[in-house]
Coordinates of all heavy atoms in Angstrom, one line a residue:
L23 N -120.9 59.7 47.2 CA -121.1 59.3 48.5 C -119.8 58.8 49.2 O -119.6 59.0 50.4 CB -122.1 58.2 48.6 CG -123.6 58.6 48.2 CD1 -124.5 57.4 48.1 CD2 -124.1 59.5 49.3
V52 N -120.6 49.8 48.3 CA -121.2 48.7 47.7 C -122.5 49.1 47.0 O -123.3 49.8 47.6 CB -121.5 47.6 48.7 CG1 -122.2 46.4 48.1 CG2 -120.3 47.1 49.5
A71 N -135.1 50.4 32.3 CA -135.5 51.8 32.3 C -137.0 52.0 32.0 O -137.7 52.7 32.7 CB -134.7 52.6 31.3
F80 N -149.3 57.7 34.6 CA -148.4 58.6 33.9 C -147.9 57.9 32.6 O -148.0 58.5 31.6 CB -147.3 59.0 34.8 CG -147.6 59.9 35.9 CD1 -147.7 59.5 37.2 CD2 -147.9 61.3 35.6 CE1 -148.1 60.3 38.2 CE2 -148.2 62.1 36.7 CZ -148.3 61.6 38.0
L86 N -142.5 42.4 29.1 CA -141.2 41.7 28.9 C -141.4 40.3 29.4 O -141.9 40.0 30.6 CB -140.1 42.4 29.7 CG -138.7 41.7 29.6 CD1 -138.2 41.9 28.2 CD2 -137.7 42.4 30.6
R90 N -146.4 41.9 32.7 CA -146.7 43.4 32.6 C -145.9 44.0 33.8 O -146.2 43.8 34.9 CB -148.2 43.6 32.8 CG -148.6 45.1 32.8 CD -150.0 45.3 33.1 NE -150.9 44.8 32.2 CZ -151.7 43.7 32.4 NH1 -151.7 43.2 33.6 NH2 -152.5 43.3 31.5
G95 N -142.4 51.3 42.7 CA -142.9 52.1 43.7 C -144.3 51.7 44.2 O -144.7 52.0 45.4
S159 N -143.9 54.5 52.5 CA -142.7 55.2 52.7 C -142.3 55.4 54.1 O -141.1 55.1 54.5 CB -142.7 56.5 51.9 OG -141.5 57.2 52.0
A162 N -141.2 52.1 55.8 CA -139.9 51.7 55.4 C -138.8 52.5 56.1 O -137.8 52.0 56.6 CB -139.7 51.8 53.9
L203 N -141.6 88.9 23.8 CA -143.0 89.5 23.9 C -143.3 90.1 25.2 O -144.0 91.2 25.3 CB -144.0 88.4 23.5 CG -144.0 87.9 22.1 CD1 -145.0 86.8 21.9 CD2 -144.3 89.0 21.1
A207 N -144.2 94.0 25.9 CA -145.5 94.3 26.5 C -145.2 95.3 27.7 O -146.0 96.3 27.8 CB -146.2 93.1 27.0
S213 N -152.3 103.9 28.7 CA -153.4 104.1 29.6 C -154.6 104.6 28.8 O -154.5 105.6 28.0 CB -153.1 105.2 30.7 OG -154.3 105.6 31.3
K254 N -157.9 82.4 34.0 CA -158.4 81.1 34.4 C -157.3 80.1 34.5 O -157.3 79.2 35.3 CB -159.4 80.6 33.3 CG -159.8 79.2 33.5 CD -160.8 78.7 32.4 CE -161.0 77.2 32.5 NZ -161.9 76.7 31.5
G293 N -173.7 108.1 23.0 CA -174.4 107.1 22.2 C -174.8 105.9 23.0 O -175.9 105.3 22.9
D311 N -164.8 77.5 28.3 CA -165.1 76.1 28.7 C -164.1 75.1 28.2 O -164.3 73.9 28.4 CB -166.5 75.7 28.2 CG -167.6 76.4 29.0 OD1 -167.3 77.0 30.0 OD2 -168.8 76.3 28.6
I329 N -158.9 87.1 14.6 CA -160.0 87.9 14.0 C -160.1 89.3 14.6 O -160.2 90.3 13.8 CB -161.3 87.1 14.3 CG1 -161.3 85.8 13.5 CG2 -162.5 88.0 13.9 CD1 -162.5 84.9 13.8
V330 N -159.9 89.5 15.9 CA -159.9 90.8 16.5 C -158.8 91.6 16.0 O -158.9 92.8 15.7 CB -159.9 90.7 18.0 CG1 -159.8 92.0 18.7 CG2 -161.2 90.0 18.5
S343 N -162.5 109.3 13.1 CA -161.8 110.4 13.6 C -160.4 110.0 14.1 O -160.2 108.8 14.3 CB -162.5 111.1 14.7 OG -162.2 110.5 16.0
L352 N -153.3 101.5 19.1 CA -152.8 101.1 20.3 C -153.2 99.6 20.7 O -152.5 98.8 21.1 CB -153.1 102.0 21.5 CG -152.4 103.4 21.4 CD1 -153.0 104.3 22.5 CD2 -150.9 103.3 21.5
D356 N -151.0 95.7 20.9 CA -151.1 94.7 22.0 C -151.6 93.4 21.4 O -151.0 92.3 21.7 CB -152.2 95.2 23.0 CG -151.8 96.5 23.8 OD1 -150.6 96.8 23.8 OD2 -152.6 97.1 24.3
A379 N -151.6 67.2 16.3 CA -152.1 68.0 15.2 C -153.6 67.7 15.0 O -154.4 68.7 14.9 CB -151.4 67.7 13.9
F382 N -155.7 69.6 17.6 CA -155.8 71.0 17.3 C -156.7 71.3 16.1 O -157.5 72.3 16.1 CB -154.4 71.6 17.0 CG -153.6 71.9 18.3 CD1 -152.6 71.1 18.7 CD2 -153.9 73.0 19.1 CE1 -151.9 71.3 19.8 CE2 -153.2 73.3 20.2 CZ -152.2 72.4 20.6
H383 N -156.7 70.4 15.1 CA -157.6 70.6 14.0 C -159.1 70.4 14.5 O -159.9 71.2 14.1 CB -157.4 69.5 12.9 CG -156.3 69.8 12.0 ND1 -156.3 70.9 11.2 CD2 -155.1 69.1 11.6 CE1 -155.2 71.0 10.4 NE2 -154.5 69.9 10.7
Y385 N -160.2 71.2 17.5 CA -160.6 72.4 18.2 C -161.0 73.5 17.3 O -162.0 74.2 17.5 CB -159.4 72.9 19.1 CG -158.8 71.9 20.0 CD1 -157.4 72.0 20.3 CD2 -159.6 71.0 20.7 CE1 -156.9 71.1 21.2 CE2 -159.0 70.1 21.5 CZ -157.6 70.1 21.8 OH -157.1 69.2 22.7
E391 N -166.9 76.8 12.9 CA -168.3 76.7 12.7 C -169.1 77.8 13.3 O -170.1 78.3 12.8 CB -168.8 75.3 13.2 CG -168.3 74.1 12.4 CD -168.7 72.8 13.0 OE1 -169.2 72.8 14.1 OE2 -168.5 71.8 12.3
V414 N -175.0 106.2 5.5 CA -176.0 105.2 5.2 C -176.2 105.1 3.7 O -176.4 104.0 3.1 CB -177.4 105.5 5.9 CG1 -178.5 104.5 5.4 CG2 -177.2 105.4 7.4
L420 N -172.8 100.7 -1.7 CA -171.6 99.8 -1.5 C -172.1 98.4 -1.3 O -171.4 97.4 -1.7 CB -170.7 100.3 -0.4 CG -169.4 99.5 -0.2 CD1 -168.5 99.6 -1.4 CD2 -168.6 100.0 1.0
R447 N -154.6 74.5 7.1 CA -156.0 74.3 7.1 C -156.7 74.7 5.9 O -157.9 74.7 5.8 CB -156.6 75.0 8.3 CG -156.3 74.3 9.6 CD -157.1 74.9 10.8 NE -158.6 74.7 10.6 CZ -159.2 73.6 10.8 NH1 -158.6 72.5 11.3 NH2 -160.5 73.6 10.7
A464 N -158.1 78.5 -0.3 CA -159.0 78.1 0.8 C -160.2 77.2 0.2 O -160.7 77.6 -0.8 CB -159.6 79.3 1.5

Side-chain angles (χ1 to χ4, degrees):
L23 290 172
V52 179
F80 291 102
L86 180 67
R90 179 187 296 112
S159 180
L203 292 175
S213 167
K254 170 186 174 181
D311 288 350
I329 292 173
V330 172
S343 83
L352 290 174
D356 295 339
F382 281 102
H383 277 304
Y385 304 149
E391 290 174 351
V414 173
L420 183 64
R447 288 190 58 79

